[in-house]
Each structure stands twice: as structure tokens, then as C-alpha cells.
Amino acid sequence: MYSTAFLDLPPLVGAAGSVRLPGSKSISNRVLLLAGLAAGTTAVHDLLDSDDTRVMLDALAALGCGLRREGAVCHVTGLGGRLATRESTLFLGNAGTAMRPLTAALAVLAATQGGAFELSGVARMHERPIGDLVDALRQLGCPVAELGRAGYPPLRVGDGSPHGLDTAQPIRVRGDVSSQFLTALLLALPLLAAQQPVTIEVQGELISKPYIDITLGLLARFGVAVEREGYARFVIPAGSAYRSPDSIHVEGDASSASYFIAAGAIAGTDAPVHIEGVGLDAIQGDIRFVDAARAMGAVVEGGPGWLAVRRGAWPLKAITLDCNHIPDAAMTLAVMALYADGPSRLTGIASWRVKETDRIAAMATELRKLGARVVDTADSIEVHPPVRWQPAALHTYDDHRMAMCGSLAAFNALSAAAGAGVPVRILDPRCVAKTFPDYFEALFSVATPAPDAVPVLAVDGPTASGKGTLAAELAARLGYHLLDSGALYRATALAAQDAGVSLEDGPTLARLAAGLDLRFTGDEVLLAGRDISHPLRLESTGGMASRVSVHPEVRQALHTLQLSFRRAPGLVADGRDMGTVVFPGATLKVFLTASADARAARRHKQLISKGIPASMDDLRADLRQRDERDRTRSVAPLQPAEDAMLLDNSHLSVEASVDQVLGWWQQRRPF
């Protein structure tokens, strides 16, 4: 997952390959609560691992449910409808699928058994309405106190004393603001149906009906068969009680599938995008996004648990669509509209206003930055494709779907209005952790950047100048891949040592370098499966690498390997030749110029901290010898590129050096 302040996406020109979706958020949190309320233990397979499910799991643990992880399976031992603790304070982040159902379930349990629970979240959660659910619970007789603004969290349910609840009359709830209020009641009220039926009546036109279908289907899996008259009246039969199904699987998230369906529709020209984990048989309403994508020109095939999507019509066809049935996935249509042959209008999306952010206002604002003309109303949005695309830094409003939708704008190089394409910056990419922590990694696994569009930041300098440390910090701050070219030469030297090859034998060293079985995995470097992380950093290995790197044939053999590191979203390349030979068109080239005395002092401190004896005089002399050898050699001499920025970091901390380079970097970017 990218935890950087921003993530720059280069222009993308293709999409192909396979992606496996995480579990559905809507199903995951419903299943967790049902398992927590039921008697017995439920094995939940393929549960979504995200911020929203994490707060639900934390809440269940605080309430006394048993939780046990076994690989990809989460075993939940439920309460059997009986409180294990009478008081708790629950923090639920910005998870509506946790806040609304837990409010209802705990209000019922606290009122019938005597308890008091406080539920709160992040600031945005305290701006998301819950008043209609509170009104419905008060009709029953549940004590509910609003601890802030009326009609919004935070809330306290229960007052510590048991209360008789009135189920003789239908409980009325509005259906035109959020379907989660009805879902919350449907999940909570079976706890009151042991002796007599409980009826819910929906006031107004129910929105997001497919989400209610998910709820009803899962209730049936846990032993509660709800009777209904359309979507206006629901009856939970007398004698209803939750029973664990023992085991249940969570299908992939259909809302998340929409981004890859869109990628295939926009950029799946040579081969389709395969989506695993959700198929045409999905129980989630957002699978009907497939129909909308087809209407825009996508070619979609599928079966149980899989989809394959490629481009059909191009440009995409503009549409006018009532999106009441796919409110979350409809956001993806708004971005697809950027690639259409005319304006597209999406209606029936009033619920966007009360989601993680005001999604209508947010979407209109961000699409305008890209060059689109947007007309928005209380419950609709109309998108006119850009006449000319603009590079833009897109705000995400701590809304996972804004970030994922925004990423699709990076395919703009395929639009005639974008020329060679423009980069797109996603601010706060970490917000995707709410439902799809590895979204950007999944996107990059199927997306192809435009040729030479992936930005490169090259860092060079003399031995012990701190270029490796600086490059690693820059890569971490930018979310870019890191190429430590020195590690390639050191690995070649170690491979030669293992094979008994002379460091003066250039042709044989080149053959070794060309066939290096080298993998970088986190903090480990594996050579032919052997961890060489420690020997790679030894002073003696550095000396061998210096001898290996003088051979032109070795440098040529490693050239192709070095180029392969240039992958989306970007690359920080550390080492000799990076800005002059390997990546001469690098966006920014930095050459460090720390003095030999400063470098010797740093190396001395580093060695002493590791318990390795060292002499300042010897280190200084060695560095000066290396500098002279590197400056005067005929192959790849040590010298800055003509357009490199010189940075004397003799008296700068690592943080100050990083800030300086990032300042230069921002000046080179178009945002």
C-alpha cells in the first residue's frame, strides 16, 4: 500500500493481465456482525482486510466475540444474542457499514438486557446523517442519545437499564436517504422476534435496493427468512433466531471491480483485463455496472467468479443513466465519461451527498481540474469530455472511491484531446485502505505506461557521499521504485567470487551479469535464492564492485536490467551512469559533492556503530584513491551530467538533503 503524501501516475496507454479483487466490504461487515450476533463459530473465508473491516473486528472483540485468524480464514465466535459486556466505547472510523448496523444492534441489546455503549468515528462520520435510524429505534423504545449535533454521530445507545420494547406496531424508517438505515434494522430486529413477528415499513422510495437484496440473502444464510412486500414492507417472522452457517465465503468486491472493468473498456486493446473474485453470478448489485459499461462500448465476458473486459467502441459512447441501483460504481462512470463521444448524464445519485464525502461536489471539482465541463445538481452530474486535458493534482477527500476513480484519468494518453498524455497526481493515496489497500499495486500490474513517460530521478556522486541513503529516502517519499545500481555491480562481484571468476576477466563477468538471478524483496536481496543482504554491504564487496564496474562489457550487460526497473509510478535511480548513459532523459539529475573529509567522517561513524574498527586517516586516503580512480578511468568516469543539480551535503542532514531534492523535483512536475 502507498502511504505517501501523493502518488504521481504517468500517462497510461494500455491495460491487460489479471487482477484478483479483495472481498466485498458490504458483504464482509454484514457477515461479521451476523456472525457476532449468532450462536456458535462461523468460519469467514476471503474476508476483506481493510480499515472498515478492521474497525468492525475491533468492535466485535470489545463486545466479547471470539476472533481467531487461521490463514485467510477468520473464525468468529458469536454472542448468541446475549451481551458479554454491558459497557463499551467503540471507535468506527468512517465506516458506515459498521456505524449504522452496530448502532441498531447495540441499541436493541442494550435496551433489552441493560447496557450502555458509545459509538463515534472520524470527523466526517460525525457529518454523515443517522437521524432516520435513531428515530426508528426510538419508536421501539430504545434509549438513544446524540452526543453532538442532533441526527448525527457520536451516539450513546442504552442507559444501563432494561426497557420493554414495542414491536406490536410497524417500525417506520425513511428509505430515500440511505439504504443502510433499513439494513441496520433488518440485521438488528431478529433479536426481538423470538415470540412475535416484527414489521418494518419503508417511507418514501427506497434507494440502493440491491444492497437490501444482499442483506436479505445473508440473513437467510444465518437462518432468518424475511418476508416482504416489494421494498415497502418487511416482516421478520416470529421464532426467528440467528444460527451460524458454520462457514461462509465473501465474494470479491463488485464496486472495486468497476475500476478494472473501466480500465479494460478504455485501454484493453491488445488483450482483455481479467478480473477474478467476482463474476456475472455475483449477489452484489454493483455487478450491474457491467450493463452500463457495455452500454458505453465495453466488451465484457464472464462466468462464476470471473470477468474479462476489453475495448469495444472508441471513443466510449456517452450515456444518460439513472444510477440509483449502482450508487458506488456509478462514480466510475463519471470518469469513464471523460473518454466518451459526448456529454454523459448520471441521475439518481443523491446518496453521493452523504457518503464518505459529498461525492457529487467532489467529483465535479476534480473532473473540472482535468479539463472537463461538469454540471451538477442535487442528485445528478453531467460530464462533458475535456477539449484539452490538463495535468492535475486530484484531492481525494479521505474517500477511497475518489482516489480509485481518479486514477483512471491517467489513461488520458489514449484521448485525442491529450496529445502524448499528461500525468495525474493522486493526493493521499493511502485512503484506499478503506476497502482496497493494494489498489494501486493492482492497477500498475495491468496498466502500461506511455513510452518514456515514467519519471526518473537520478542520483549520483562519489563513494560514501550518501547517495544510496538519499535515493532510498526519496523513493520512499515519492512511492517510486528504487534502483541501487551499485548493488547490481556488488552482486556481480559476489557471483564472480562464488563461481571462481577473476575480476579482471571482463567477458566472463559480463556473461555472469547478464544471467544474474537477482531479486529485491523488501529489505532482502536474494542472489540465486541466497540472501546476500549482509555481504552486499561489506567494504570488501564495494572494493570488488569497483573493479568489476571498469569493464565496458559488464556495464553493457547490466544496462538492460537497469532499464527494466523503470516501471510505474516512477523510479529513483542511484549510481554511476544513471543520468548520463542509462537514463539520459531523467526528469531530474542530482550529483552529490560532499568533501572527502565529510564522507570519511560519516563512514567512520557508521563502521564504529557496527563494532567494526576503523581509522579516519585510512578511510580518508581510501576515498581519495577511489575518487581519483573513478574520475580518471576511461569507462564511465565519475562526473556530473551537464544538466545535473549539484548538492553539497557535507553539512546537511539526510532530511535536509531530501527536502532540497524534493523541492527541485516539484519544480520539474506540472502540477
Side-chain angles (χ1 to χ4, degrees):
M1 183 178 70
Y2 288 87
S3 298
T4 51
F6 58 84
L7 183 62
D8 290 350
L9 308 183
L12 305 174
V13 296
S18 296
V19 61
R20 183 159 192 86
L21 298 173
S24 160
K25 176 190 72 169
S26 297
I27 295 176
S28 290
N29 269 353
R30 283 168 171 81
V31 165
L32 285 176
L33 181 56
L34 287 167
L37 295 174
T41 299
T42 304
V44 184
H45 298 259
D46 302 321
L47 180 71
L48 171 65
D49 181 11
S50 73
D51 287 351
D52 278 17
T53 52
R54 218 163 286 128
V55 296
M56 178 65 91
L57 286 166
D58 289 346
L60 294 181
L63 295 171
C65 295
L67 301 174
R68 179 171 58 87
R69 287 277 189 178
E70 198 173 76
V73 183
C74 180
H75 299 268
V76 181
T77 300
L79 301 174
R82 302 298 304 174
L83 287 175
T85 180
R86 298 272 191 256
E87 293 184 10
S88 190
T89 299
L90 306 178
F91 176 79
L92 302 173
N94 199 11
T97 56
M99 174 65 76
R100 276 74 176 261
L102 276 169
T103 292
L106 289 176
V108 168
L109 291 172
T112 55
Q113 299 174 36
F117 301 91
E118 290 190 10
L119 301 92
S120 65
V122 299
R124 173 58 185 170
M125 177 56 77
H126 296 171
E127 297 172 349
R128 298 176 67 180
I130 200 169
D132 294 320
L133 177 59
V134 169
D135 290 344
L137 293 170
R138 285 173 175 163
Q139 291 172 44
L140 276 167
C142 296
V144 182
E146 293 140 317
L147 304 180
R149 188 159 53 123
Y152 297 86
L155 304 171
R156 182 173 59 247
V157 296
D159 57 12
S161 301
H163 295 262
L165 299 185
D166 179 13
T167 58
Q169 302 300 318
I171 296 97
R172 294 177 299 279
V173 64
R174 283 181 60 184
D176 57 352
V177 175
S178 172
S179 65
Q180 287 183 2
F181 301 151
L182 176 57
T183 279
L185 293 173
L186 287 168
L187 294 175
L189 295 183
L191 298 168
L192 297 175
Q195 304 300 323
Q196 62 183 31
V198 181
T199 300
I200 306 169
E201 291 182 350
V202 178
Q203 297 181 313
E205 179 67 21
L206 179 66
I207 64 172
S208 307
K209 294 181 179 71
Y211 285 101
I212 299 305
D213 294 335
I214 294 174
T215 302
L216 295 174
L218 293 174
L219 282 166
R221 289 293 308 277
F222 280 83
V224 176
V226 177
E227 301 165 359
R228 67 186 177 98
E229 298 173 11
Y231 291 93
R233 184 180 174 91
F234 299 83
V235 179
I236 301 165
S240 294
Y242 284 131
R243 297 187 301 276
S244 170
D246 297 328
S247 179
I248 191 167
H249 287 259
V250 176
E251 69 184 22
D253 193 272
S255 303
S256 296
S258 71
Y259 313 118
F260 297 96
I261 294 171
I266 296 165
T269 53
D270 297 330
V273 174
H274 286 271
I275 302 164
E276 301 172 3
V278 69
L280 297 178
D281 61 335
I283 67 171
Q284 299 162 77
D286 272 357
I287 195 60
R288 292 173 63 186
F289 178 85
V290 167
D291 298 332
R294 284 171 170 160
M296 295 190 78
V299 177
V300 184
E301 299 175 329
W306 68 274
L307 299 168
V309 189
R310 57 185 173 84
R311 183 199 281 184
W314 190 255
L316 296 178
K317 300 175 184 177
I319 60 169
T320 296
L321 184 68
D322 183 343
C323 299
N324 185 287
H325 60 298
I326 52 168
D328 284 347
M331 295 178 68
T332 310
L333 295 175
V335 184
M336 290 177 70
L338 298 173
Y339 303 95
D341 57 6
S344 294
R345 188 163 186 265
L346 310 178
T347 64
I349 55 172
S351 64
W352 284 20
R353 298 278 187 193
V354 294
K355 295 286 188 175
E356 282 79 349
T357 188
D358 180 340
R359 287 174 169 171
I360 292 180
M363 185 66 75
T365 298
E366 303 312 309
L367 295 186
R368 288 177 184 129
K369 290 180 182 178
L370 294 163
R373 184 164 71 86
V374 184
V375 180
D376 57 298
T377 71
D379 66 348
S380 71
I381 191 167
E382 183 175 286
V383 180
H384 296 247
V387 175
R388 183 183 176 204
W389 283 77
Q390 302 290 336
L394 303 181
H395 284 278
T396 52
Y397 306 86
D398 196 25
D399 186 337
H400 55 134
R401 302 215 181 277
M402 286 297 298
M404 292 185 277
C405 284
S407 71
L408 298 172
F411 287 101
N412 63 75
L414 297 168
S415 170
V422 297
V424 174
R425 172 169 288 179
I426 304 296
L427 300 173
D428 186 25
R430 188 203 171 279
C431 66
V432 300
K434 183 177 176 69
T435 52
F436 200 159
D438 296 327
Y439 169 75
F440 288 105
E441 290 85 346
L443 176 66
F444 295 143
S445 75
V446 297
T448 302
D452 300 323
V454 175
V456 177
L457 195 167
V459 180
D460 197 1
T463 300
S465 60
K467 59 183 180 292
T469 300
L470 175 62
E473 287 294 323
L474 290 169
R477 292 274 289 272
L478 293 170
Y480 284 2
H481 300 285
L482 174 65
L483 167 57
D484 177 356
S485 67
L488 303 185
Y489 289 100
R490 289 191 289 271
T492 301
L494 290 173
Q497 187 179 60
D498 291 345
V501 174
S502 167
L503 299 185
E504 314 307 320
D505 185 352
T508 304
L509 288 172
R511 286 194 293 274
L512 270 178
L516 277 182
D517 179 12
L518 192 64
R519 288 189 297 122
F520 295 85
T521 57
D523 294 331
E524 289 185 342
V525 182
L526 303 178
L527 176 62
R530 177 171 68 94
D531 185 359
I532 60 168
S533 307
H534 175 64
L536 201 68
R537 301 301 173 190
L538 294 176
E539 290 292 308
S540 56
T541 305
M544 292 193 298
S546 184
R547 294 168 61 190
V548 166
S549 66
V550 301
H551 299 289
E553 53 267 69
V554 173
R555 304 191 78 83
Q556 183 59 43
L558 290 176
H559 187 260
T560 301
L561 179 58
Q562 291 167 334
L563 290 176
S564 72
F565 278 78
R566 188 176 187 178
R567 303 188 302 274
L571 174 67
V572 176
D574 152 34
R576 197 66 38 78
D577 291 355
M578 289 298 101
T580 53
V581 177
V582 184
F583 301 109
T587 310
L588 174 65
K589 303 167 188 176
V590 177
F591 191 89
L592 302 181
T593 61
S595 67
D597 285 343
R599 288 182 283 136
R602 290 174 186 164
R603 181 60 58 86
H604 183 266
K605 181 179 180 180
Q606 182 184 53
L607 293 173
I608 294 300
S609 70
K610 295 179 179 178
I612 302 173
S615 161
M616 274 289 294
D617 290 339
D618 291 345
L619 288 172
R620 188 183 298 109
D622 179 63
L623 287 173
R624 285 174 173 159
Q625 288 174 7
R626 285 201 198 185
D627 289 352
E628 182 62 22
R629 183 170 67 242
D630 289 345
R631 271 195 299 266
T632 58
R633 68 190 188 187
S634 59
V635 178
L638 174 66
Q639 59 184 22
E642 289 184 4
D643 54 349
M645 302 294 289
L646 304 183
L647 177 62
D648 184 351
N649 64 345
S650 300
H651 305 292
L652 293 179
S653 66
V654 172
E655 187 66 24
S657 298
V658 169
D659 288 343
Q660 176 62 74
V661 175
L662 287 178
W664 290 335
W665 181 253
Q666 296 290 27
Q667 293 171 14
R668 304 289 177 96
R669 304 301 286 154
F671 304 110

